[in-house]
Amino acid sequence: MSRKHHFKGAEVSCCVKYFLFGFNIIFWLLGAAFLGIGLWAWAEKGVLSNISSITDMGGFDPVWLFIVVGAVMFILGFAGCIGALRENTVLLKFFSVFLGLIFFLELTAGILAFVFKDWIKEQLNFFINNNVKAYRDDIDLQNLIDFAQEYWSCCGAHGPNDWNLNMYFNCTELNPSRERCGVPFSCCVKDPAEDVLNTQCGYDVRLQGELDQQRYIYTKGCVGQFEKWLQDNLIVVAGIFVGIALLQIFGICLAQNLVSDVRAVKANW
C-alpha cells in the first residue's frame, strides 16, 4: 500500500507524485542528452565561438532540431520533476499548461496539414530545393539530404534536374566544378556487388538521356517518394502521433491530479 501524507482528511497520493516524477526524470534526461548533442555539434562547427555564423547558413541546419527539441524537453522535464518532488503547484501548472499548449499546436498543425495539403506540398518542395542549394554549406545538412535520398530512393525534390540549383552540380558552361551535370552519390542506384561506396558514381550522369540515367541514378523526386512512403506507412505514422498525444494527455492529467491534491491539503492547514 502506498504511503500518503495526511492532513485533516486531505492527502497527497505518493503513487501519483512519484509516478509523475519518474515520468519526467526520463523526459528531463532525454532533453539534456538532445541539448548536449546539439551544443556539441555547434561547438564542433565553431558556431558557439561565432554566433553570427548562424545567419550565414543558406539551408536548414539539422542541429537546430536537437537544440530546440532538447531545450523544450529539458525545461518541461525540469518543471515536472521539481514540481512533483516539491509539490510545487506553480511548476506543476507551468508543466501542464506548456504541455497542453504543445498538444494544441500539434493538433492544429495536423488539421491544417490535412486541410492545406497542397500548400504543404509546395512548401516541402520549396524547403527541399532551398536545401539543395545549400548542400555543400553544412556537413549535417549534407548528411541529412544524403540519408533522405538513399532511404526514399529519390533524387532532388521532383527529379535529378533539381540539382541544377546547386552551384557545384549545375550544367552551365561556366561551372568549373568536376561535379558539373552530376548528382550526389546518394542519388545513385546501389550495386549489391560493390563493397566500397563509390562517391563519384553521380559524375556527368545528367549529360545522358533520361532512359540511360535510370540505370545509374534514382529519377523520382523526394516529394513524391515521401508522399508514397506516408501512404504505405499511414497506420504506423498515425500510431506514433496518437501514442505521443496520449502520453501528453496522461502527463497533463497526472499534473492536474497532483495540483488538486496539494490544494486540498493546503486548504485544510
Side-chain angles (χ1 to χ4, degrees), residues 10 38 49 67 87 96 171 174 188 199 236 238 243 264:
S49 58
I67 292 176
E87 298 176 8
S96 59
C171 273
L174 297 176
C188 296
T199 57
V236 175

Side-chain angles (χ1 to χ4, degrees), residues 163-223:
W163 283 98
N164 273 326
L165 296 169
N166 187 279
M167 62 183 295
Y168 298 100
F169 295 98
N170 71 63
C171 273
T172 58
E173 294 292 337
L174 297 176
N175 183 9
S177 171
R178 178 63 189 86
E179 295 175 309
R180 176 180 172 272
C181 286
V183 292
F185 70 91
S186 53
C187 284
C188 296
V189 176
K190 299 297 179 291
D191 184 353
E194 287 185 352
D195 294 327
V196 179
L197 179 65
N198 179 12
T199 57
Q200 299 179 1
C201 60
Y203 283 13
D204 303 321
V205 73
R206 286 191 293 116
L207 291 173
Q208 303 178 33
E210 188 173 339
L211 290 177
D212 291 328
Q213 288 181 25
Q214 292 178 6
R215 296 166 51 196
Y216 303 104
I217 62 172
Y218 304 120
T219 55
K220 294 181 179 178
C222 291
V223 174

Side-chain angles (χ1 to χ4, degrees), residues 233-246:
N233 297 274
L234 188 60
I235 295 176
V236 175
V237 174
I240 291 172
F241 278 103
V242 170
I244 292 172
L246 289 175

Side-chain angles (χ1 to χ4, degrees), residues 77-203:
F78 175 82
C81 282
I82 304 303
L85 194 62
R86 303 295 299 171
E87 298 176 8
N88 187 308
T89 56
V90 175
L91 288 176
L92 288 172
K93 286 178 184 177
F94 172 80
F95 170 79
S96 59
V97 169
F98 201 178
L99 199 58
L101 179 62
I102 291 173
F103 174 76
F104 175 75
L105 290 175
E106 289 171 348
L107 185 62
T108 303
I111 294 171
L112 290 176
F114 179 77
V115 174
F116 299 103
K117 53 187 176 183
D118 291 334
W119 181 82
I120 295 294
K121 185 177 178 179
E122 290 178 6
Q123 294 305 307
L124 180 62
N125 176 45
F126 174 78
F127 175 79
I128 294 175
N129 281 335
N130 192 47
N131 287 294
V132 162
K133 294 178 186 177
Y135 177 73
R136 294 293 190 200
D137 295 347
D138 183 83
I139 187 63
D140 293 317
L141 173 62
Q142 183 174 313
N143 289 335
L144 180 64
I145 292 174
D146 286 335
F147 169 78
Q149 293 190 144
E150 288 179 334
Y151 185 80
W152 283 301
S153 301
C154 59
C155 191
H158 290 290
N161 287 331
D162 287 338
W163 283 98
N164 273 326
L165 296 169
N166 187 279
M167 62 183 295
Y168 298 100
F169 295 98
N170 71 63
C171 273
T172 58
E173 294 292 337
L174 297 176
N175 183 9
S177 171
R178 178 63 189 86
E179 295 175 309
R180 176 180 172 272
C181 286
V183 292
F185 70 91
S186 53
C187 284
C188 296
V189 176
K190 299 297 179 291
D191 184 353
E194 287 185 352
D195 294 327
V196 179
L197 179 65
N198 179 12
T199 57
Q200 299 179 1
C201 60
Y203 283 13

